[in-house]
């Protein structure tokens, strides 16, 4: 991969290209060259560092022999435009995203030859391919690390992003599949216990029964896996393009983010008003502006409050991302 990128750069004279031209070539050509290899193998950190160094030198107008001053860190350049970057792919995160695609295919493409080969090689236990231990290939061990949430990037991002939509319930494992409250191990159907339950266990059982109270099986529907952030289109590569960032879209950051979204309910409680939570940012602004009536002075005041909240969230997000402070 490194050699291919160097060979491609040998025919380009970066000093004759503008910043915009170098950025376009970098995003459309150079970061696309290693995609095939990154789709199958976990690249060594040394290889990723070498490629990042080559791309960084090219972007700032240098070459292998000369190095120009880098006025902005490469991490910032690789951040999404919404976060003040230029949207260049972070190859380490992109590598994990591409490998994560195999974890998704293990759930939704079980008729493929590749899955049958893995089944014959490692076997299945409780609906999941076994890890294989030391006998597993290096490729398979990396896939399992991502699936089980022990990868070095993003932790348990994959397990937190998939959910089992139950139809007739035939293909869902009650105790281990994510189908009820979004966490592994949720469920509880076997009400025969090996011993008497303690009081705190009885309370937990009551909570579980409350969750199951209104749950209804659909006899005519099959159980299917959904990608939680986008249940319609399924697994997107972009979901991990921003692994190191806080939130992927403006709507998520300012409204539905679990970290920052609760600010709005606190502000409405402080104002003594209540309203629904629109998912569109423009709708959210309009509704918030009119929650206290149509008086012009009130609207202006609420507009100010809304803008202050958004600005505060944005500054807090940047502090956490770029300064590692809260």
């Amino acid at each position: 991969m490194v050699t291919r990128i160097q060979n491609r750069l040998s025919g380009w004279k970066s000093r004759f290209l503008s910043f915009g031209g170098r950025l376009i070539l970098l995003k459309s050509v150079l970061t696309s060259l290693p995609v095939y290899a990154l789709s199958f193998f976990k690249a060594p950190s040394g290889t990723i560092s070498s490629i990042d160094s080559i791309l960084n030198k090219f972007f700032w107008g240098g070459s292998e022999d000369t190095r120009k001053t880098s006025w902005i860190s490469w991490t910032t350049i690789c951040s999404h435009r919404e976060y003040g970057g230029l949207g260049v792919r972070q190859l380490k995160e992109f590598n994990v995203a591409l490998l994560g695609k195999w974890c998704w295919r293990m759930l939704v493409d079980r008729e493929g030859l590749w899955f049958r080969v893995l089944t014959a090689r490692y076997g299945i236990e409780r609906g999941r391919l076994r890890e294989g231990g030391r006998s597993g290939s290096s490729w398979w061990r990396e896939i399992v690390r991502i699936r089980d949430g022990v990868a070095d990037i993003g932790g348990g991002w994959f397990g937190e992003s998939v959910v089992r939509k139950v139809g007739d319930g035939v293909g869902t494992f009650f105790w281990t599949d994510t189908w009820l409250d979004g966490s592994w191990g949720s469920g509880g159907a076997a009400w025969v216990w090996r011993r008497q339950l303690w009081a705190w266990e009885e309370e937990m059982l009551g909570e579980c029964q409350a969750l199951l109270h209104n749950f209804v099986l659909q006899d005519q529907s099959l159980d299917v896996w959904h990608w939680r952030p986008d249940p319609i289109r399924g697994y997107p590569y972009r979901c991990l393009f921003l692994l190191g960032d806080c939130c992927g879209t403006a709507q998520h950051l300012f409204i539905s983010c679990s970290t920052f979204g609760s600010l709005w309910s606190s502000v409405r409680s402080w104002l003594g008003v209540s309203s629904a939570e629109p998912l569109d940012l423009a709708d959210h602004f309009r509704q918030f502006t009119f929650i206290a009536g149509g008086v012009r002075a009130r609207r202006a005041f609420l507009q100010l409050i809304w803008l202050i909240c958004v600005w505060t969230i944005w500054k807090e997000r940047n502090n956490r991302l770029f300064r590692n402070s809260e």
Side-chain angles (χ1 to χ4, degrees), residues 170-184:
V170 174
T172 300
F173 284 87
F174 187 92
W175 292 105
T176 57
D177 284 342
T178 308
W179 63 273
L180 187 58
D181 65 357
S183 61
W184 291 102

Side-chain angles (χ1 to χ4, degrees), residues 28-298:
S28 62
V29 179
L30 295 180
T31 56
S32 298
L33 290 176
V35 167
Y36 180 79
L38 295 179
S39 299
F40 290 95
F41 306 106
K42 177 71 178 298
S45 57
T47 301
I48 296 294
S49 297
S50 297
I51 295 176
D52 284 343
S53 177
I54 293 172
L55 300 182
N56 191 25
K57 289 180 181 178
F58 172 76
F59 178 72
W60 292 106
S63 63
E64 291 189 47
D65 301 325
T66 60
R67 183 184 183 93
K68 296 293 185 68
T69 301
S70 300
W71 296 104
I72 302 175
S73 70
W74 184 247
T75 301
T76 302
I77 292 174
C78 289
S79 298
H80 197 266
R81 290 179 182 275
E82 297 173 1
Y83 304 144
L86 295 176
V88 177
R89 283 175 179 163
Q90 304 178 64
L91 292 182
K92 185 176 182 180
E93 286 78 358
F94 190 58
N95 187 193
V96 176
L98 292 170
L99 294 178
K101 181 69 173 181
W102 292 100
C103 299
W104 174 248
R105 291 184 64 189
M106 279 192 291
L107 299 176
V108 300
D109 183 25
R110 297 201 160 197
E111 300 301 323
L113 176 61
W114 71 278
F115 186 82
R116 285 182 280 151
V117 170
L118 290 178
T119 301
R121 176 68 177 83
Y122 301 108
I124 292 182
E125 183 178 2
R126 299 187 66 81
R128 307 178 77 196
L129 285 166
R130 290 195 180 96
E131 180 180 354
R134 294 185 178 181
S135 62
S137 67
S138 58
W139 174 83
W140 175 240
R141 288 198 297 269
E142 291 297 341
I143 300 300
V144 171
R145 282 169 56 84
I146 295 174
R147 182 193 69 179
D148 295 344
V150 294
D152 54 350
I153 297 178
W157 61 268
F158 185 83
E160 295 169 358
S161 299
V162 294
V163 61
R164 187 72 162 167
K165 181 175 176 56
V166 179
D168 57 15
V170 174
T172 300
F173 284 87
F174 187 92
W175 292 105
T176 57
D177 284 342
T178 308
W179 63 273
L180 187 58
D181 65 357
S183 61
W184 291 102
S186 62
W191 306 121
V192 179
W193 310 102
R194 291 181 296 175
R195 61 168 175 80
Q196 180 99 15
L197 297 181
W198 298 99
W200 63 271
E201 292 173 326
E202 292 282 3
E203 294 178 2
M204 294 181 65
L205 177 58
E207 294 174 1
C208 184
Q209 290 173 324
L211 291 171
L212 294 170
H213 181 69
N214 295 321
F215 189 82
V216 180
L217 294 175
Q218 306 293 329
D219 292 338
Q220 305 301 321
S221 302
L222 298 176
D223 300 344
V224 294
W225 286 100
H226 279 182
W227 183 254
R228 196 189 301 272
D230 192 345
I232 305 300
R233 289 178 293 180
Y235 183 92
Y237 288 139
R238 186 181 183 277
C239 73
L240 280 173
F241 176 70
L242 300 171
L243 262 178
D245 295 342
C246 176
C247 301
T249 64
Q251 282 80 2
H252 179 76
L253 172 63
F254 294 117
I255 299 176
S256 59
C257 175
S258 59
T259 302
F260 301 122
S262 60
L263 173 64
W264 298 109
S265 60
S266 299
V267 171
R268 284 194 296 267
S269 176
W270 171 61
L271 294 171
V273 295
S274 60
S275 66
E277 199 79 90
L279 294 180
D280 181 77
L281 199 59
D283 290 342
H284 192 280
F285 173 75
R286 285 190 289 267
Q287 185 192 76
F288 190 88
T289 301
F290 284 90
I291 56 177
V295 180
R296 186 173 181 178
R298 289 180 179 175

